[in-house]
Amino acid sequence: MLTLSAAQVDGALSFPGLVDALETAFREGAVQPVRHHHGVERAQGADSTLLLMPAWTDFKAPNALAEGFIGVKIVTVSPDNNAIGKPAVVGVYLLLNGITGEPLALIDGPRLTQWRTACASALAARYLARKDASKLLMIGAGAQASFLVRAHAAVRTIQEVRIWNRTHANAEKLAGELRAEGFSVEATQDLDSALGWADIVSAATISATPLVRGDLLKPGTHVDLVGGFTPLLREADDATITRARIFVDTHAGATKEAGDIVQPLEAGIIHKGDVLADLHELTRGEKQGRESDAEITLFKSVGAALEDLAAGIMVYKVLAATS
């Protein structure tokens, strides 16, 4: 069994390649049981959470491969870790042979998640962003932000990037890192102006208060919401939701876990029929993505086990061939 580090994941993947792999995965489908949540009670301090995200090749599908794979992401969330200088969220991805069940690889979970999350957003932008979109606003400067900038640049010709973050020094730091890679990028403290400037707005924060204001968005903008992964978190306001044509990674996940969708549904601002398509429907051509250059589109992702499986398979195949 291979044990693969974050650096090895980086070496095995490319943004264009993984976007294509995710497109194929959503088109062909996989078996994705409901995500398992288990509370781990502590006698002292905050309780932890154990998350299990399994998926496997759909062997009953008409185009199913004879081999196939099984995968499960194992994640723990331990809030008290921050006090001892460790990340609160850690995990691994276990990839198995789909026929024998034998372990094939144990892959760095956080890095695999960063890649697949960014490339899922880029896949959505392939269907939803204007073809000539060239100005990207990145809201948030955390670990996911640089991956989102690179992924969007893999599907659209991004000529200018602006980064906004509550702590401006972190935005400046990320801007410097991306400039070193050849991006034309600046950190901004004027979020309102940047919202009206951008062709693509990507947000990866844990904000409970909306940061994306729909009244400031220009016609033709594509909004990519990544960070709000619980019903209590919200990155875009009601004006954004009502102005936009809405798309999600999966209907089941977004309508139960994403505050940007759940809260407007509960308030009656939108209805389930206003969520026009998910990535399965877009990649299969069952639903239409962007219909005009003037419309505002919105994509909300919460993550899907299928994405981890596709990324894990890609990493394994590349590195197994060279080991």
Side-chain angles (χ1 to χ4, degrees), residues 209-287:
T209 303
L211 298 168
V212 180
R213 289 180 50 190
D215 61 318
L216 298 177
L217 300 174
K218 67 183 180 183
T221 301
H222 172 57
V223 179
D224 170 43
L225 303 179
V226 177
F229 57 91
T230 78
L232 299 178
L233 300 178
R234 187 94 186 259
E235 294 186 299
D237 65 4
D238 290 343
T240 305
I241 298 298
T242 55
R243 288 189 69 190
R245 298 180 68 239
I246 303 169
F247 302 84
V248 296
D249 53 356
T250 66
H251 286 289
T255 56
K256 291 181 181 179
E257 300 181 33
D260 285 288
I261 304 298
V262 172
Q263 291 181 33
L265 282 172
E266 291 179 345
I269 294 168
I270 61 171
H271 305 282
K272 282 195 174 181
D274 293 317
V275 180
L276 299 177
D278 66 8
L279 287 177
H280 292 288
E281 293 164 320
L282 287 174
T283 57
R284 293 169 184 169
E286 296 171 358
K287 297 289 181 68

Side-chain angles (χ1 to χ4, degrees), residues 138 140-142 145-146 163 169-179 185:
M138 186 68 239
S146 65
I163 301 170
N170 291 342
E172 290 279 13
K173 180 181 178 182
L174 177 58
E177 293 172 359
L178 291 171
R179 273 195 293 270
V185 55

Side-chain angles (χ1 to χ4, degrees), residues 111-264:
R111 184 65 99 236
L112 195 74
T113 301
Q114 289 171 324
W115 274 93
R116 64 83 153 153
T117 299
C119 288
S121 285
L123 174 59
R126 178 177 281 178
Y127 290 87
L128 302 176
R130 293 195 333 266
K131 299 294 185 185
D132 64 348
S134 63
K135 299 176 181 178
L136 171 66
L137 168 63
M138 186 68 239
I139 300 176
Q144 188 64 55
S146 65
F147 285 83
L148 284 162
V149 172
R150 298 181 191 116
H152 280 296
V155 297
R156 291 292 183 267
T157 304
I158 301 300
Q159 298 177 356
E160 299 176 76
V161 180
R162 293 183 185 177
I163 301 170
W164 180 91
N165 192 65
R166 290 190 190 279
T167 303
H168 185 64
N170 291 342
E172 290 279 13
K173 180 181 178 182
L174 177 58
E177 293 172 359
L178 291 171
R179 273 195 293 270
E181 296 179 20
F183 286 95
S184 175
V185 55
E186 66 175 77
T188 181
Q189 299 186 67
D190 189 347
L191 178 58
D192 287 357
S193 175
L195 285 167
W197 164 87
D199 300 319
I200 298 174
V201 175
S202 185
T205 72
I206 53 171
S207 179
T209 303
L211 298 168
V212 180
R213 289 180 50 190
D215 61 318
L216 298 177
L217 300 174
K218 67 183 180 183
T221 301
H222 172 57
V223 179
D224 170 43
L225 303 179
V226 177
F229 57 91
T230 78
L232 299 178
L233 300 178
R234 187 94 186 259
E235 294 186 299
D237 65 4
D238 290 343
T240 305
I241 298 298
T242 55
R243 288 189 69 190
R245 298 180 68 239
I246 303 169
F247 302 84
V248 296
D249 53 356
T250 66
H251 286 289
T255 56
K256 291 181 181 179
E257 300 181 33
D260 285 288
I261 304 298
V262 172
Q263 291 181 33

